[in-house]
Amino acid sequence: MSLVTLLPFIVLIGAMFLMTRSAKKKQQQAADMRNQMQPGSGVRTIGGMYGTVKEVNEDTVLLDAGPGVELLFAKNSIGAVLTDDEYNRIVHGIEHDLKSDADVVPDDASSLTETDASADDAAAASDDKPVDLGKKDADDEPAEPAVDAAPAEAKTDEQPKKTDGGSEAK
C-alpha cells in the first residue's frame, strides 16, 4: 500500500484523537469545578435550578433552594458554580454596579444648556398656563342644541327591535 491510500485513515484517526482529547478536557474542567464547591457558594443545576450549597459529600450535594427547602442532588448534576455577584444578580435581582459613583446623566438635554437662573425662569413660565394636548374631556365639549337631540332619538326608534325568536323572526 502506498502512502496516498493510508493518508485518509491517518487523518481520520488524528481527528478522532483531537475530539476525544477536547471532550476529556471539558470533563476534567467540570470535575474540578464540582470539587471546588464549598458550603455557601451559589450553584446552578443542569436542570436550571439555582441554590446555595449547604453541604458537600462524596457523591452528593445538599442545596438550600429557599426558606425551608433543602434538596439533595448528585454532584454530577451541578452545571455551574457561580460567583457571589452573579448569583445575587440572577436569584435576588441585586445589581452590583461599579459605576455607582459616576455622575447621573439627565433624561433631557435642556438641563445641560440652561443655567440655574434661567431654569427657574423657565419653570415659572411653564406654570403660567396649562399645555393643550388636543385631548378633550366630555365635560369640556360644548353641549349640543336640544333640537339635534330629538332627531338622534328618532333615528334609534326607527331601527327594528330585536326579538327573542318569536313567530315574527321566522
Side-chain angles (χ1 to χ4, degrees):
M1 283 214 251
S2 69
L3 184 62
V4 175
T5 56
L6 290 177
L7 187 62
F9 293 112
I10 293 171
V11 169
L12 184 64
I13 291 171
M16 289 174 51
F17 174 75
L18 290 175
M19 284 190 283
T20 57
R21 183 174 174 209
S22 68
K24 284 183 182 179
K25 191 181 242 184
K26 286 181 184 178
Q27 285 178 347
Q28 184 63 36
Q29 287 176 347
D32 290 342
M33 180 247 337
R34 290 182 187 113
N35 289 332
Q36 292 176 356
M37 277 189 300
Q38 298 175 5
S41 59
V43 295
R44 181 184 67 233
T45 65
I46 57 174
M49 183 176 290
Y50 292 92
T52 305
V53 176
K54 194 167 188 180
E55 185 179 308
V56 179
N57 297 323
E58 184 81 18
D59 294 330
T60 61
V61 177
L62 184 65
L63 296 182
D64 182 20
V69 180
E70 294 180 355
L71 304 168
L72 186 65
F73 281 93
K75 249 188 184 180
N76 291 338
S77 67
I78 302 300
V81 177
L82 307 172
T83 63
D84 290 339
D85 290 337
E86 186 177 11
Y87 181 78
N88 287 333
R89 180 182 59 80
I90 294 170
V91 175
H92 302 297
I94 300 171
E95 292 287 334
H96 180 68
D97 190 13
L98 298 176
K99 298 178 183 179
S100 61
D101 296 335
D103 293 334
V104 176
V105 178
D107 291 338
D108 61 339
S110 63
S111 63
L112 298 175
T113 58
E114 295 177 350
T115 61
D116 290 338
S118 63
D120 292 338
D121 294 339
S126 66
D127 291 339
D128 289 343
K129 61 181 179 178
V131 177
D132 182 23
L133 299 176
K135 190 173 183 181
K136 302 282 185 181
D137 291 336
D139 297 335
D140 294 342
E141 293 180 11
E144 294 184 20
V147 176
D148 292 341
E153 291 174 5
K155 288 179 185 176
T156 58
D157 290 339
E158 292 172 5
Q159 295 175 355
K161 295 185 179 181
K162 295 184 181 179
T163 61
D164 59 343
S167 61
E168 296 176 359
K170 291 183 181 178

